[in-house]
Structure formats: structure tokens, C-alpha cells
Amino acid sequence: MKKVFVKSYGCQMNVYDAERMTDMLATEGYAETKAMEEADLVILNTCHIREKAAEKVYSELGRVRELKKERAGQGQETKVVVAGCVAQAEGKEILRRAPAVDVVVGPQNYHNLPDLLKKAKASRVVDTEFPIEDKFDHLPKPSKAMIQNRGVSSFLTIQEGCDKFCTFCVVPYTRGAEVSRPVSKIIDEALRLADAGVRELTLIGQNVNAYHGEDESGSVWTLGRLLHRLAEIPGIARLRYTTSHPRDMDDELIAAHRDLPAVMPYLHLPVQSGSDRILDEMNRKHTGDEYRRLIERIRAAQPNLALSSDFIVGFPGETDAEFEDTMRLIADVGFASSFSFKYSPRPGTPAAEMGAQVSEAVKSERLARLQNLLETQRQAFNHGTVGQTLDVLLEKPGRHPGQMAGKSPYLQPVQIETDRHQIGDIVTVRITQAGSNSLFGEVVKPGSQAAA
Ligand code: 5AD
Ligand code: SF4
């Protein structure tokens, strides 16, 4: 059997796409390997969101080239594929810069991989067209064993692409226009995952709460409605979704946080900045106060909500005072977790052309202060759960024998001592201690068992 090694960079969408590529290559006779050295096929599933992400790919390709040479010396052939958003954005340029690469395939085209690999026997190929047909229709379904291998928490893509055009972001160019998958396809996939023992679904999309897929009668479903339907699936105990835009948090979705116990009290809702002028320049189409009021409404529906966000510091023209507006918003709202970045100009996006780019030194200083505040909030949130009783979904063996590791409703890793439970069980745990990254707890009640 041939072996394939896939390395994914960036967002959850790429993790999901990497799994779909391995599903498909399994039917072509490839087994997955975790060791690049033994792979006949190396796939780098790339991310283009910030400059550093793309540069990492090129340096990895340098290493892959060495490996390819070494293996060739031993009479073994290695094919190299660049997939994902760098592939989409750079296309042919990758073949020029990275001689080891055989195939460049965009995120909308990976269902063509078997075909492209055949063509690559004769010459190097690039496929970055936006096809009309749904790539998911062409992908084989993973076997039950493959699903089980991937664990009890699974991603499910329900939407792709973005029409928001935030001025800093490449996604509308690399992932294309916003498209929602049909309701029936999503439900079929969810049923199959549940049947293989999956307990938690994280619905993913670049703009997941803008979901507007059609059912078989042609009526359009919102994310709120879809969550209601998915919550009915036996075995599915937890639902999450990411990434959302503040503009698309409608009443039905907010109500789902109140009405559906399966919808976890956790929300990743990027705000990016707390300055109204910067938000406007970013084309986010909301103000800082509108975000604050939105969070109040969501917390009224779900008082236990753990909130997460993305932040960008040093957007072009950002003054000290405007940065302070972001610090104030963080202090006002309170975040349980977060991702924060220095602004990185992306070729082809409007913000890259804006004057008054902020210096690297100022960006670094602002990022350090911002991360300091966010880290204090994260620690405070974690310490606040000590003494509480939380449901934990057990996902894997723990760090030491006799331990298991799982996640709290707030997506915190939790380590527990147990020899009585299995992966997939949801156990009620009293949190006894908060470390810097994990919580520790003891089981107070077995809770709901995974299907045998
Ligand atoms: N520079 C810095 N951060 C960016 N992001 C997107 N584009 C850029 C950029 N050009 C961040 C945003 C987004 C997250 C996925 O990445 O915060 O929400
Ligand atoms: Fe990028 Fe904005 Fe779309 Fe998010 S909403 S993917 S940041 S353009």
C-alpha cells in the first residue's frame, strides 16, 4: 500500500479538508502516515491568512525537496502536492518557487486529486478553478473505522467562502463567495458521524452563522434551525459552530443558546478592534457599542457564555487612542479565550494599499499589552471554574495511566482520574484545580454513556 502524509496549516476548515483528502486517497489505495519520511505522497494543506503562514509553507517545501532527493537516491518516488489557500492564491508561482512540487490544487478542487496525480506523472499541474459543482458530491464517504479513528468530536463543514470583504482579509479571494451546503447533505453526514460514535459536532464555515442552506422543498434554513434539527440526532450531545460574524447573530441563533442544551455555552465571535473608526476602515459594518450590546443579548439568553474573539493590532492608521479603545472593549466584555495578531498586509486586499502602515515595533508593543490583558482574563475564567461541577466529554487517554482527558462545555481541556470510563462518555466532574492550560477534576457522577 502507498502512503500519504498530510500536514495542515491554519483554520479548522483545513483540518476538515485534510480529512476529506485522506478519505478520498484511501479509496485510491493510500494509507495515512504520520511520518513524512516514509510518504509516497506529501500534501501540504496551506493557509494564506497572514504573511507568516505562507512563508512557513515555502520553508517547509525546502525541507520536502531535500527529502524527495534522499528518497530518490534510494529509488523511491515522492509526489508533492500543495493544497489549500496558498495554492489558490499563488497558483503557478508555487511551481516556479518550489521545484519539488508536482501538483498545486485549490480548496475548491481537491476532489480532482486522483486525476491530477495521474496527470502529474507526465508534467506538473495546477488546478485552481472555481468549479460550478459541489466538491463534496464527488468525495467518498469515510468508513466507520476511519471516523472512529478520528475521535468523538468531529468537524462538519456546512458553509464555505465569504462575501463580507473585510479590508484586511484574503478569504473572499481564496475561498470564494459564500456557499451553504444543502440541509439534507449535512444531516446525512451528521447521522453517519453519530452512527460511528461521534458525540460532538462543530459546524464550520468561514462565516458559519450566515448559513442559509436549502432543504429538499427549497426552503431556506438558518443556522438556528439547523442546530434544532441536529440536536435531535441520537448520540449527538454537543453542538458548536465557528467562525461567526457579529452581523449574522440573529434572534433565532441567540435563542438556540437558551433553548438547546446541546448548544454549548461557548461562542467564538471575532470583534477584531474596539475602535469605531478602525472597524469602519476594516469594513466590519458594526461599532464597538453594537458588539457590546450584542454580547449582552447573547448573555441574557445564556448567562454562562464563555466568549472568544480574534483581534488585530496595528491595522493601517491605528493610533494609540484607537488601540486603547480595543483595550477598553476587552476590559468591558471579558473573554475566556482569544486569538490575536499583528496586522499583516495581504497582497490584493484593500488594507494592504492603505497609507500609514503601523511600524513593526509599535505592533509588537501593542500585541504584547493586548495579549497580557487577554491572558489575565483567560486565567481568571479558568480559575473561576474551580469548585464548579461541569460535564466533561472524554476524548482520549490522559497524560498518565489512570487518567483521561476531555473538554468542558467551555472548551477547556480537563484531566480526570478514572479507570471506569470510556472515550465518548460525558461525565460530571467537580473541578479541583486550574493549571495554566488544563483543568483537573474528579468525577462526581458517571453521566451519559457513549453508545456501545
Ligand atoms: N493580518 C492579521 N490578521 C488577520 N486575520 C485575517 N487577516 C489578517 C491579516 N491580514 C485574522 C483575523 C481573523 C483571523 C482568522 O485571522 O483576526 O479573524
Ligand atoms: Fe475574512 Fe471578514 Fe470574511 Fe472573516 S468575515 S473570512 S475576516 S472577510
Side-chain angles (χ1 to χ4, degrees):
M1 222 177 173
K2 288 172 289 183
K3 292 199 171 130
V4 56
F5 170 87
V6 189
K7 178 161 179 176
S8 253
Y9 302 77
C11 66
Q12 291 96 337
M13 185 74 73
N14 267 8
V15 177
Y16 180 88
D17 285 355
E19 289 176 355
R20 300 294 76 75
M21 284 190 258
T22 30
D23 289 347
M24 185 174 46
L25 291 165
T27 64
E28 298 281 313
Y30 283 92
E32 197 176 352
T33 171
K34 301 274 172 228
M36 196 198 280
E37 310 74 57
E38 61 171 32
D40 305 287
L41 177 59
V42 173
I43 302 180
L44 301 187
N45 194 25
T46 61
C47 172
H48 201 239
I49 196 96
R50 286 169 295 274
E51 197 174 353
K52 269 204 189 133
E55 282 312 313
K56 263 195 226 154
V57 173
Y58 280 111
S59 63
E60 182 77 33
L61 281 170
R63 284 193 290 278
V64 173
R65 186 186 186 185
E66 293 306 311
L67 190 79
K68 189 168 175 165
K69 263 195 227 150
E70 254 169 57
R71 282 177 48 96
Q74 298 154 9
Q76 286 164 320
E77 194 194 18
T78 318
K79 287 284 179 208
V80 179
V81 174
V82 177
C85 294
V86 176
Q88 187 65 39
E90 304 261 289
K92 278 209 294 281
E93 174 68 9
I94 296 176
L95 297 186
R96 198 186 63 76
R97 270 185 74 177
V101 176
D102 300 285
V103 175
V104 176
V105 60
Q108 305 309 324
N109 311 85
Y110 57 71
H111 57 285
N112 296 335
L113 252 183
D115 211 34
L116 295 168
L117 287 169
K118 275 182 207 111
K119 285 190 188 141
K121 286 186 181 143
S123 66
R124 307 163 81 199
V125 278
V126 176
D127 184 2
T128 53
E129 295 297 309
F130 280 100
I132 330 240
E133 80 269 31
D134 181 355
K135 71 178 174 201
F136 295 108
D137 286 347
H138 299 269
L139 295 173
K141 317 246 177 289
S143 67
K144 206 163 169 168
M146 282 176 93
I147 297 173
Q148 280 160 351
N149 223 345
R150 289 176 185 149
V152 291
S153 176
S154 176
F155 291 133
L156 201 176
T157 292
I158 65 164
Q159 179 280 328
E160 262 195 280
C162 183
D163 293 342
K164 294 280 190 297
F165 290 92
C166 299
T167 53
F168 52 81
C169 186
V170 285
V171 165
Y173 312 96
T174 54
R175 290 277 174 168
E178 198 188 285
V179 180
S180 296
R181 288 179 75 194
V183 171
S184 65
K185 301 257 173 72
I186 294 166
I187 293 170
D188 283 354
E189 190 167 332
L191 287 168
R192 223 173 28 252
L193 292 167
D195 184 51
V198 166
R199 310 285 332 261
E200 173 176 86
L201 293 176
T202 301
L203 310 179
I204 56 176
Q206 266 92 24
N207 234 304
V208 75
N209 61 340
Y211 179 79
H212 58 271
E214 285 185 13
D215 67 12
E216 268 146 357
S217 71
S219 84
V220 173
W221 287 34
T222 60
L223 180 57
R225 183 160 177 204
L226 185 65
L227 287 168
H228 274 271
R229 174 65 188 88
L230 294 172
E232 290 169 6
I233 295 179
I236 297 298
R238 292 184 161 193
L239 295 169
R240 304 179 184 278
Y241 57 93
T242 196
T243 289
S244 296
H245 193 291
R247 299 275 302 173
D248 295 313
M249 283 308 297
D250 63 21
D251 290 342
E252 202 180 357
L253 182 53
I254 295 174
H257 278 275
R258 181 192 60 212
D259 300 335
L260 292 174
V263 174
M264 290 293 101
Y266 178 94
L267 178 63
H268 182 63
L269 195 64
V271 66
Q272 314 294 359
S273 166
S275 150
D276 291 349
R277 193 189 71 85
I278 295 293
L279 285 167
D280 188 45
E281 292 281 302
M282 287 176 163
N283 193 30
R284 294 290 292 180
K285 300 202 168 75
H286 63 78
T287 64
D289 278 347
E290 278 163 354
Y291 185 84
R292 286 178 177 87
R293 281 199 294 275
L294 174 61
I295 299 304
E296 276 169 22
R297 280 171 52 219
I298 307 169
R299 282 183 170 148
Q302 173 48 274
N304 292 329
L305 190 82
L307 191 64
S308 158
S309 174
D310 295 340
F311 298 92
I312 296 177
V313 300
F315 185 83
E318 184 187 69
T319 64
D320 284 340
E322 285 163 344
F323 170 67
E324 295 306 328
D325 288 340
T326 304
M327 293 292 279
R328 205 164 314 117
L329 181 134
I330 296 170
D332 290 350
V333 174
F335 293 91
S337 72
S338 61
F339 302 90
S340 46
F341 315 98
K342 291 183 209 173
Y343 170 71
S344 154
R346 308 310 292 130
T349 60
E353 309 297 316
M354 290 177 185
Q357 297 283 333
V358 174
S359 76
E360 205 43 41
V362 170
K363 282 186 203 170
S364 298
E365 198 187 304
R366 288 181 187 166
L367 188 66
R369 277 191 57 208
L370 180 111
Q371 290 187 334
N372 219 329
L373 176 57
L374 287 163
E375 179 58 14
T376 309
Q377 291 191 342
R378 188 180 74 88
Q379 297 290 351
F381 180 82
N382 287 346
H383 283 281
T385 55
V386 175
Q388 287 188 26
T389 304
L390 301 177
D391 281 348
V392 173
L393 169 60
L394 299 179
E395 295 181 347
K396 56 185 183 193
R399 289 182 202 152
H400 306 292
Q403 286 187 338
M404 290 188 83
K407 296 270 166 57
S408 78
Y410 311 121
L411 217 51
Q412 300 151 296
V414 185
Q415 298 275 334
I416 61 167
E417 307 279 337
T418 175
D419 44 22
R420 286 173 297 138
H421 297 101
Q422 51 173 333
I423 290 170
D425 287 352
I426 295 175
V427 292
T428 307
V429 170
R430 202 177 66 86
I431 304 300
T432 52
Q433 200 191 326
S436 61
N437 287 308
S438 289
L439 303 179
F440 299 86
E442 54 196 27
V443 179
V444 288
K445 255 210 327 255
S448 91
Q449 304 290 303

CSV table of all heavy atoms in Angstrom, one decimal, residues 49-50 168-169 270 272 310-312 341-344 346, ligand 1:
chain,number,residue,atom,x,y,z
A,49,ILE,N,-3.7,33.2,5.4
A,49,ILE,CA,-4.4,34.3,6.1
A,49,ILE,C,-3.4,35.4,6.5
A,49,ILE,O,-3.7,36.6,6.5
A,49,ILE,CB,-5.2,33.8,7.3
A,49,ILE,CG1,-6.2,34.9,7.8
A,49,ILE,CG2,-4.3,33.3,8.5
A,49,ILE,CD1,-7.5,34.7,7.3
A,50,ARG,N,-2.2,35.1,7.0
A,50,ARG,CA,-1.2,36.1,7.3
A,50,ARG,C,0.1,35.7,6.6
A,50,ARG,O,0.3,34.5,6.3
A,50,ARG,CB,-1.0,36.1,8.8
A,50,ARG,CG,-2.1,36.8,9.6
A,50,ARG,CD,-2.0,36.6,11.0
A,50,ARG,NE,-2.2,35.2,11.4
A,50,ARG,CZ,-3.4,34.7,11.6
A,50,ARG,NH1,-4.5,35.3,11.4
A,50,ARG,NH2,-3.5,33.4,11.9
A,168,PHE,N,-8.9,43.7,5.4
A,168,PHE,CA,-7.6,43.0,5.7
A,168,PHE,C,-7.5,41.6,5.2
A,168,PHE,O,-6.4,41.0,5.2
A,168,PHE,CB,-7.3,43.1,7.2
A,168,PHE,CG,-8.4,42.5,8.0
A,168,PHE,CD1,-8.6,41.1,8.2
A,168,PHE,CD2,-9.3,43.3,8.6
A,168,PHE,CE1,-9.6,40.6,8.9
A,168,PHE,CE2,-10.4,42.8,9.4
A,168,PHE,CZ,-10.5,41.4,9.5
A,169,CYS,N,-8.6,41.0,4.7
A,169,CYS,CA,-8.7,39.6,4.7
A,169,CYS,C,-8.7,39.0,3.3
A,169,CYS,O,-9.3,39.5,2.4
A,169,CYS,CB,-10.0,39.1,5.4
A,169,CYS,SG,-10.2,37.4,5.5
A,270,PRO,N,-15.5,36.9,16.6
A,270,PRO,CA,-14.4,37.9,16.4
A,270,PRO,C,-14.9,39.4,16.3
A,270,PRO,O,-15.8,39.6,15.6
A,270,PRO,CB,-13.7,37.5,15.1
A,270,PRO,CG,-14.1,36.1,14.9
A,270,PRO,CD,-15.4,35.9,15.5
A,272,GLN,N,-12.2,41.9,16.3
A,272,GLN,CA,-11.0,42.5,15.6
A,272,GLN,C,-10.5,43.8,16.2
A,272,GLN,O,-9.3,43.9,16.4
A,272,GLN,CB,-11.3,42.7,14.1
A,272,GLN,CG,-12.0,41.6,13.4
A,272,GLN,CD,-11.2,40.3,13.2
A,272,GLN,OE1,-10.0,40.3,13.7
A,272,GLN,NE2,-11.8,39.3,12.6
A,310,ASP,N,-11.2,37.1,17.9
A,310,ASP,CA,-9.9,37.4,17.2
A,310,ASP,C,-9.7,38.9,17.3
A,310,ASP,O,-10.7,39.7,17.3
A,310,ASP,CB,-10.0,37.0,15.7
A,310,ASP,CG,-10.1,35.5,15.5
A,310,ASP,OD1,-9.8,34.7,16.4
A,310,ASP,OD2,-10.6,35.2,14.4
A,311,PHE,N,-8.5,39.3,17.4
A,311,PHE,CA,-8.1,40.7,17.5
A,311,PHE,C,-7.0,40.9,16.5
A,311,PHE,O,-6.1,40.1,16.4
A,311,PHE,CB,-7.6,41.1,18.9
A,311,PHE,CG,-8.7,41.0,19.9
A,311,PHE,CD1,-8.8,39.8,20.6
A,311,PHE,CD2,-9.6,42.0,20.1
A,311,PHE,CE1,-9.8,39.7,21.6
A,311,PHE,CE2,-10.6,41.9,21.1
A,311,PHE,CZ,-10.7,40.7,21.8
A,312,ILE,N,-7.0,42.1,15.9
A,312,ILE,CA,-5.9,42.5,15.0
A,312,ILE,C,-5.3,43.9,15.6
A,312,ILE,O,-6.1,44.8,15.8
A,312,ILE,CB,-6.3,42.8,13.6
A,312,ILE,CG1,-6.7,41.4,13.0
A,312,ILE,CG2,-5.2,43.4,12.8
A,312,ILE,CD1,-7.3,41.6,11.5
A,341,PHE,N,-3.4,39.0,16.7
A,341,PHE,CA,-2.4,39.0,15.6
A,341,PHE,C,-2.0,40.4,15.3
A,341,PHE,O,-2.8,41.4,15.5
A,341,PHE,CB,-3.0,38.5,14.3
A,341,PHE,CG,-3.8,37.2,14.5
A,341,PHE,CD1,-5.2,37.2,14.6
A,341,PHE,CD2,-3.1,36.0,14.6
A,341,PHE,CE1,-5.9,36.0,14.7
A,341,PHE,CE2,-3.8,34.8,14.7
A,341,PHE,CZ,-5.2,34.8,14.8
A,342,LYS,N,-0.7,40.6,14.9
A,342,LYS,CA,-0.3,41.9,14.3
A,342,LYS,C,-0.9,41.9,12.9
A,342,LYS,O,-0.9,40.9,12.2
A,342,LYS,CB,1.2,41.9,14.2
A,342,LYS,CG,2.0,41.9,15.4
A,342,LYS,CD,3.5,42.0,15.1
A,342,LYS,CE,4.3,41.4,16.2
A,342,LYS,NZ,5.7,41.3,15.8
A,343,TYR,N,-1.3,43.1,12.5
A,343,TYR,CA,-1.8,43.2,11.1
A,343,TYR,C,-0.7,42.9,10.2
A,343,TYR,O,0.4,43.3,10.3
A,343,TYR,CB,-2.3,44.7,10.9
A,343,TYR,CG,-2.6,44.9,9.4
A,343,TYR,CD1,-3.7,44.3,8.8
A,343,TYR,CD2,-1.7,45.6,8.6
A,343,TYR,CE1,-3.9,44.4,7.4
A,343,TYR,CE2,-1.9,45.7,7.2
A,343,TYR,CZ,-3.0,45.1,6.7
A,343,TYR,OH,-3.2,45.2,5.3
A,344,SER,N,-1.1,42.1,9.2
A,344,SER,CA,-0.1,41.6,8.2
A,344,SER,C,-0.7,41.9,6.8
A,344,SER,O,-1.8,41.4,6.4
A,344,SER,CB,0.1,40.1,8.4
A,344,SER,OG,0.5,39.4,7.3
A,346,ARG,N,-1.9,41.8,3.2
A,346,ARG,CA,-2.0,40.7,2.2
A,346,ARG,C,-2.2,41.3,0.8
A,346,ARG,O,-3.1,42.1,0.6
A,346,ARG,CB,-3.3,39.8,2.6
A,346,ARG,CG,-3.3,39.3,4.0
A,346,ARG,CD,-2.0,38.6,4.5
A,346,ARG,NE,-1.7,37.4,3.8
A,346,ARG,CZ,-0.5,37.1,3.3
A,346,ARG,NH1,0.5,38.0,3.2
A,346,ARG,NH2,-0.3,35.9,2.7
B,1,5AD,N1,-3.5,40.4,9.3
B,1,5AD,C1,-3.6,39.9,10.6
B,1,5AD,N2,-4.6,39.1,11.0
B,1,5AD,C2,-5.5,38.7,10.1
B,1,5AD,N3,-6.6,38.0,10.2
B,1,5AD,C3,-7.2,37.9,9.0
B,1,5AD,N4,-6.5,38.6,8.1
B,1,5AD,C4,-5.4,39.1,8.7
B,1,5AD,C5,-4.4,40.0,8.4
B,1,5AD,N5,-4.2,40.4,7.1
B,1,5AD,C6,-7.0,37.4,11.4
B,1,5AD,C7,-8.4,37.9,11.8
B,1,5AD,C8,-9.3,36.8,11.5
B,1,5AD,C9,-8.4,35.6,11.8
B,1,5AD,C10,-8.8,34.3,11.3
B,1,5AD,O1,-7.2,36.0,11.3
B,1,5AD,O2,-8.4,38.2,13.2
B,1,5AD,O3,-10.5,36.7,12.3
